[in-house]
Amino acid sequence: MAFIIEVPTISTDVAGNRLNLTIGGVKAYSLDNLSNKKGADEHFKVFIGFQNKVCTNLCVSTDGFKADLTVRNMQELQNAIYCLLQQHDAARQIAQLKSLANYQLTERQFVQLIGRCKLYNYLPAQVKADIYPLQFGDTQISAICKDYYKDESFCRSDDGSINLWRLYNLFTGANKSSYIDTFLDRSLNAYQFTEQIKFALGNQRHSWFLS
């Protein structure tokens, strides 16, 4: 079970894409004890972020997501969502999303990134521990590869390069194939992962995914 509320009166433009403020959540049945009686703790995942109206991709940031919200009634759920609204810094998220278009991956860097993403899930645990986590599997990475060439809105440039705004949307687009219980977690991971790549490019820092 999921719910979503769009607030079209609060919107912005990023690289020619209209983004509307969106609030929503998922009933996390996988975290519930289904044998409990009514009135027992129930778990939700809730978010506030922006939806890209070009493709319906969802942009979720760190301060706009609560992965394990435990409530016992509707009032507690409403209060928790209200608190999330208060802590979410929409202006900061918009600024960060807009900045992604200023960073580019060459075709070679993109190929390196995809290869590392494919390898990541098969790394030994001790090696993974030192690498920024990636929650996307082979199915999603393959979709990113396809859309790198074929997506009408976010494909590569003629020289093979791709800016991070487009890359981010390839990740959020691929996330649409995820099951509902992992969708929001991967939405956040796409944002954090792209921010890590941006940091590596902007500060000329080492990134395992680009090395």
Side-chain angles (χ1 to χ4, degrees), residues 7-106:
V7 187
T9 54
I10 302 177
S11 64
T12 189
D13 181 278
V14 177
N17 301 158
R18 179 184 174 87
L19 274 60
N20 288 352
L21 187 73
T22 305
I23 305 160
V26 172
K27 179 70 175 71
Y29 287 106
S30 61
L31 300 177
D32 285 344
N33 184 343
L34 299 181
S35 64
N36 282 343
K37 296 180 179 179
K38 186 173 179 61
D41 289 345
E42 296 187 55
H43 297 80
F44 290 82
K45 297 180 180 184
V46 295
F47 74 91
I48 176 171
F50 289 88
Q51 186 180 60
N52 190 335
K53 302 309 294 180
V54 170
C55 53
T56 71
N57 291 352
L58 195 61
C59 306
V60 178
S61 63
T62 306
D63 68 351
F65 180 53
K66 194 165 183 61
D68 185 8
L69 173 62
T70 304
V71 300
R72 294 194 174 191
N73 53 57
M74 183 62 70
Q75 186 61 53
E76 289 185 1
L77 178 59
Q78 291 174 345
N79 291 341
I81 293 174
Y82 181 71
C83 288
L84 188 63
L85 282 167
Q86 289 183 311
Q87 75 180 38
H88 178 246
D89 189 341
R92 180 173 178 269
Q93 184 183 5
I94 290 169
Q96 289 176 327
L97 291 174
K98 287 184 175 182
S99 72
L100 295 178
N102 299 326
Y103 296 84
Q104 299 270 348
L105 291 179
T106 65

